[in-house]
Amino acid sequence: MASDINSVILVGRLTRDAELSYLPSGTAALAFSIAVNRSKKEGEQWVEEANFFDISYISKSAENFKQYLTKGKQVGIQGSLKQDRWQDKESGQNRSKIKIMASSVQLLGGRSDSNGSGYSGGSGYSAGGYQGGGQARSGYTPQPMQQPADSYGGDGGFPEDVPF
């Protein structure tokens, strides 16, 4: 029998500062929302459409990470979808909402973003190649990637005698 797959990866910008709370166990939990833009074609033109997603990040590092999750900050999220269901007390209608349970949150962008620390919570690759652990690294500045040496000369083009 094949197992089910529930995995999501998003890159977007925070629509508000993250809110910190604690579970009864004492574990820190962050709640925030991100906007993810996508392009779609309407007639002959491409238009941008914003999609909004609620994110929950429950982790020992969430408390230290809160200071970096501010409105406008670009983040990468890896996690899974979770459906919350409840019954509306006033109308008696059944309601549901999908949210993302983040297993990894990665700050993207540089110093030009809100405070651009380059810190990665959870596990995974982030800007500058830092593997996140659980400690925020304030003052960390991602280094730009070096461009590979151009084997065809300095102009970035191809030699005149390409055989195709």
Side-chain angles (χ1 to χ4, degrees):
M1 183 171 124
S3 62
D4 297 335
I5 298 173
N6 181 356
S7 182
V8 63
I9 298 173
L10 297 170
V11 173
R13 294 196 179 269
L14 273 76
T15 61
R16 58 184 166 86
D17 291 355
E19 297 172 6
L20 179 66
S21 62
Y22 294 91
L23 301 177
S25 65
T27 304
L30 284 173
F32 55 97
S33 295
I34 63 171
V36 178
N37 292 326
R38 76 178 194 109
S39 295
K40 68 178 189 174
K41 195 165 187 177
E42 287 185 0
E44 294 296 316
Q45 291 187 337
W46 286 93
V47 294
E48 292 286 319
E49 175 184 79
N51 293 280
F52 299 92
F53 300 98
D54 291 331
I55 314 289
S56 291
Y57 181 54
I58 301 170
S59 170
K60 291 178 183 177
S61 64
E63 187 173 40
N64 293 331
F65 207 1
K66 180 192 182 304
Q67 64 182 319
Y68 301 105
L69 295 176
T70 57
K71 182 177 180 177
K73 181 70 180 162
Q74 187 178 37
V75 294
I77 305 293
Q78 183 172 5
S80 59
L81 300 175
K82 180 179 185 246
Q83 182 179 27
D84 288 337
R85 298 179 186 148
W86 69 96
Q87 188 172 49
D88 189 311
K89 292 179 182 178
E90 291 181 20
S91 68
Q93 296 272 337
N94 290 331
R95 303 281 185 201
S96 70
K97 182 177 185 174
I98 304 290
K99 67 180 174 182
I100 296 167
M101 301 301 293
S103 57
S104 176
V105 175
Q106 300 172 4
L107 299 183
L108 304 175
R111 289 274 176 206
S112 61
D113 280 352
S114 301
N115 53 21
S117 70
Y119 170 71
S120 169
S123 62
Y125 179 81
S126 71
Y130 172 67
Q131 285 258 329
Q135 300 262 333
R137 292 182 51 183
S138 61
Y140 173 74
T141 304
Q143 299 299 313
M145 294 179 62
Q146 293 181 351
Q147 296 295 325
D150 188 354
S151 60
Y152 295 113
D155 67 354
F158 292 99
E160 297 295 326
D161 58 344
V162 177
F164 54 87

